[in-house]
Amino acid sequence: MWKYLLGIILLLLYCSCYQETSVDDSKIFRLNRYDNISSLDPIQARTQANNWACNLMYNSLVKIDYDLTIQPDIAERWNVSDDGKIYTFYLRQDVYFHKHAAFGNDSTRTVKADDFTFSFDRLKDPKNNGAGGWIMNNIESYKAINDSVFEIKLTDAFPPFLGLISMKYASVVPKELFADGNENFNQHPIGTGPFQFKIWEDNVKMVLRRNPLYFEKDEQGRALPYLEAVNISFLPEKNSEFLELIKGNVDMMADLDPSYKDEILSADGNLNPKYRDQLYLRKEPYLSTVYFCFFLDDKDAIDHRLRQAMNYGIDKNKIIKYLMKGQGFAADGGFIPKGLPGHSNTSGYRYDLERAKELILAYKKEFPNAKPITLTTVQEYIDICEYFAAEMGKLGLKIKVDVVPGPTLREGKATGKFSFFRANWGADYPDAENFLSLYYSKNFAPEGPNYSHYNNSQFDALYLKTFNENDAEKRAEIYAQLDKLMMEEAPILPIMYDQTSLFINQKVKNLRMSPIKMLDLTRVYKEK
């Protein structure tokens, strides 16, 4: 009996795959995710893989464009009260859910304001274990005024709020698919986005098909998206993904791995000439800072003088030039990355070898028998960490590099197990508050993202002041002050501001990546 059922399942999968390949190949975008997709439920859009898939399938009230500007999405316009606490959204009337039998004979319906009430209730409910429930923390209440007007009231004014609810966690989903719990939705997720669910074989492939009811149109009035399907594979090895790109079986690769970095890039950081007939390289800013973090809330915490010495004693431009092949920017300006209002070139530490030596010498005079310092990292960043250790060794500061698996590092930095470790932080929403929240004392890990356990009452007061400043320029000035104040105590050592390098098949046009590294294929097309 089981053999018979297995045969039926394989036959159905074969038929589905055959139907998908019958579509003109120039209408199919082929993508690989080596890190797999764990969920297509938007309240679980925590990882980049989940986020990319959810961005293709769902819409929120608002969205962020490539210039980090808040744009209408399902809400065509909105008003904000004078005190900054009440947001009133006016919804489009032409947004439909993907077709599904749960909607009855019509197989679909338009999105109404109470769908956002349901979606927010679901996101907020701890029983659903949503990864994004934290974005609801400052929301006092929300309600549907009528079918087309949705109101949100905040507990406290928070100027970055629109960016916060642009995240995929706040996407709208239909209540009909949750009538019997989450099972129906997990098996066949439904949204409103440009692509809709078709097939998912865990760790093998996923197919999304064009949503014929999608509400967006291009400037000539043509229906979007242009593509008919998105085919996602799950090859776990990054080198395999690179080989599939070269073979033409994958249309885009957005990660630069050491295993093929020297092969695909020339010495000056541009595309290797031998691949220019089949690929092109597009470099996009990515709001992410790679840094080393010191855990301060410990009796063996690394001394302030040594933290400053390490900041002064590393030539970050050499790291970018020789180890990263020009893929990124030296982080000489504090924690806030380039491109975000609040970034300042004066917030951080410039390379100053003499100052670094002075600080180390002063420390060693006081503590001549100090223990070696251990820097914990993952394999991906071992070259940067070993270079750093070698440079510190020249200054008389012994650094041991300890390589651990990714999950071990994530757990250890959250629980205070490691005194000095490699980390990175990417923007969830386009506001420097997203970065500075890592140093607010009430955000201590593991409950919050303050992995250093930095604690400064002056910083806290200034940080809270930004919530009541609606003028963007004035708020950016405060952000710069905060960054500078935090860096004076050096709870971190910023290494580089990241960028995304997109290696794209020559046939693919209009493909960009947002600064928060969100994949949008709505306007992408392929030449035959």
Side-chain angles (χ1 to χ4, degrees):
M1 180 66 178
W2 282 110
K3 289 183 178 179
Y4 174 78
L5 289 174
L6 180 60
I8 294 293
I9 291 170
L10 291 173
L11 179 62
L12 289 172
L13 290 176
Y14 171 80
C15 292
S16 297
C17 294
Y18 177 80
Q19 290 172 4
E20 189 264 320
T21 55
S22 67
V23 177
D24 182 350
D25 186 68
S26 69
K27 297 288 188 181
I28 302 174
F29 188 85
R30 303 185 186 278
L31 175 72
N32 184 69
R33 285 302 318 192
Y34 59 83
D35 49 353
N36 203 9
I37 293 171
S38 62
S39 176
L40 288 177
D41 188 334
I43 70 171
Q44 303 297 345
R46 182 168 179 249
T47 67
Q48 186 184 99
N50 290 9
N51 239 318
W52 279 18
C54 286
N55 198 47
L56 301 175
M57 294 180 60
Y58 303 98
N59 295 93
S60 306
L61 289 164
V62 295
K63 62 183 178 180
I64 297 171
D65 67 13
Y66 294 111
D67 297 318
L68 300 179
T69 303
I70 302 295
Q71 299 289 353
D73 201 9
I74 293 180
E76 59 183 355
R77 59 189 176 89
W78 55 88
N79 297 326
V80 184
S81 63
D82 292 340
D83 63 2
K85 293 184 179 181
I86 300 176
Y87 290 72
T88 306
F89 298 90
Y90 301 88
L91 310 188
R92 298 177 62 117
Q93 300 298 293
D94 57 350
V95 181
Y96 290 83
F97 285 112
H98 301 154
K99 289 187 176 182
H100 192 278
F103 297 119
N105 293 333
D106 293 333
S107 73
T108 187
R109 66 171 177 81
T110 56
V111 172
K112 295 179 173 59
D114 63 2
D115 290 311
F116 279 99
T117 302
F118 171 80
S119 300
F120 278 33
D121 283 346
R122 184 170 173 269
L123 175 61
K124 188 177 182 179
D125 190 341
K127 291 186 295 184
N128 294 320
N129 295 314
W134 59 272
I135 73 170
M136 305 293 291
N137 289 346
N138 190 36
I139 296 179
E140 179 180 306
S141 63
Y142 47 87
K143 61 183 177 181
I145 304 298
N146 54 45
D147 284 351
S148 61
V149 181
F150 185 66
E151 181 185 277
I152 300 176
K153 184 177 181 180
L154 305 185
T155 305
D156 298 297
F158 185 62
F161 176 68
L162 288 173
L164 198 66
I165 60 167
S166 73
M167 298 173 70
K168 300 324 294 180
Y169 298 133
S171 300
V172 68
V173 293
K175 56 180 175 290
E176 287 89 342
L177 267 75
F178 297 91
D180 300 314
N182 294 337
E183 190 63 25
N184 287 340
F185 188 82
N186 291 338
Q187 291 177 354
H188 195 113
I190 292 294
T192 58
F195 298 92
Q196 57 191 3
F197 178 83
K198 181 67 176 178
I199 301 168
W200 185 8
E201 300 172 52
D202 192 30
N203 284 311
V204 180
K205 72 179 295 184
M206 178 182 292
V207 178
L208 306 178
R209 294 300 298 265
R210 180 180 184 273
N211 173 16
L213 302 176
Y214 190 57
F215 59 91
E216 279 196 281
K217 293 180 170 55
D218 67 13
E219 290 72 15
Q220 286 73 43
R222 292 176 297 182
L224 295 171
Y226 301 128
L227 295 165
E228 286 294 332
V230 180
N231 190 337
I232 305 172
S233 58
F234 298 104
L235 296 172
E237 298 296 329
K238 295 181 181 180
N239 194 52
S240 299
E241 180 182 46
F242 167 65
L243 293 175
E244 290 299 292
L245 177 73
I246 299 306
K247 292 176 185 178
N249 297 329
V250 171
D251 289 317
M252 181 271 288
M253 184 176 69
D255 290 290
L256 189 60
D257 190 72
S259 64
Y260 53 76
K261 179 174 65 178
D262 293 335
E263 169 65 19
I264 200 167
L265 291 178
S266 59
D268 61 0
N270 292 312
L271 185 67
N272 188 327
K274 75 178 186 179
Y275 296 119
R276 289 178 185 168
D277 288 340
Q278 61 185 119
L279 304 175
Y280 65 96
L281 171 59
R282 186 177 187 119
K283 298 179 181 180
E284 300 277 14
Y286 176 34
L287 298 183
S288 171
T289 300
V290 176
Y291 64 106
F292 297 157
C293 185
F294 302 95
F295 182 65
L296 306 182
D297 198 7
D298 186 88
K299 63 181 179 63
D300 296 320
I302 296 169
D303 187 86
H304 176 248
R305 288 165 292 184
L306 294 185
R307 301 198 305 267
Q308 285 192 326
M310 290 185 227
N311 271 281
Y312 280 122
I314 186 70
D315 189 342
K316 300 164 190 174
N317 285 297
K318 284 186 177 179
I319 292 177
I320 301 300
K321 183 175 181 180
Y322 297 111
L323 298 181
M324 298 304 299
K325 285 198 168 183
Q327 308 302 299
F329 308 95
D332 289 331
F335 190 60
I336 301 173
K338 286 187 175 182
L340 270 185
H343 170 82
S344 171
N345 290 329
T346 64
S347 294
Y349 295 78
R350 297 285 173 166
Y351 183 49
D352 189 338
L353 210 54
E354 293 306 313
R355 181 61 179 143
K357 289 178 181 177
E358 290 173 8
L359 288 164
I360 292 172
L361 184 60
Y363 176 79
K364 283 192 166 185
K365 283 183 177 179
E366 188 175 345
F367 301 100
N369 299 314
K371 296 179 182 178
I373 295 169
T374 298
L375 171 58
T376 306
T377 185
V378 291
Q379 186 66 37
E380 182 182 358
Y381 286 90
I382 190 171
D383 54 346
I384 293 177
C385 294
E386 288 183 341
Y387 170 78
F388 170 76
E391 292 298 292
M392 293 301 105
K394 295 175 184 178
L395 299 175
L397 192 61
K398 188 174 180 181
I399 306 286
K400 175 189 173 184
V401 177
D402 184 25
V403 180
V404 299
T408 302
L409 181 60
R410 286 193 293 273
E411 179 187 7
K413 73 180 185 179
T415 58
K417 179 181 179 181
F418 304 126
S419 61
F420 187 34
F421 53 89
R422 199 281 317 173
N424 68 280
W425 186 261
D428 292 317
Y429 47 93
D431 194 280
E433 184 277 334
N434 192 198
F435 285 81
L436 296 169
S437 66
L438 271 70
Y439 306 100
Y440 181 50
S441 65
K442 292 186 178 180
N443 285 342
F444 276 9
E447 286 76 19
N450 187 343
Y451 301 113
S452 66
H453 281 208
Y454 172 78
N455 188 348
N456 183 307
S457 58
Q458 184 183 354
F459 181 97
D460 287 354
L462 200 56
Y463 173 75
L464 293 174
K465 182 180 176 181
T466 65
F467 295 171
N468 296 313
E469 182 54 73
N470 290 315
D471 185 293
E473 291 186 8
K474 291 181 180 179
R475 198 163 68 250
E477 291 175 2
I478 301 175
Y479 288 157
Q481 293 176 44
L482 284 163
D483 205 13
K484 186 177 180 64
L485 176 63
M486 178 272 295
M487 286 302 301
E488 286 172 358
E489 294 191 49
I492 60 168
L493 194 170
I495 298 295
M496 61 177 284
Y497 308 127
D498 217 341
Q499 72 176 32
T500 300
S501 297
L502 299 175
F503 300 91
I504 307 169
N505 188 297
Q506 285 282 3
K507 293 181 180 179
V508 176
K509 307 300 176 185
N510 269 5
L511 178 59
R512 293 189 61 187
M513 189 73 71
S514 76
I516 55 173
K517 209 168 184 177
M518 186 69 80
L519 181 67
D520 184 358
L521 299 177
T522 309
R523 294 172 179 266
V524 171
Y525 66 94
K526 291 171 65 176
E527 294 180 341
K528 293 189 177 182

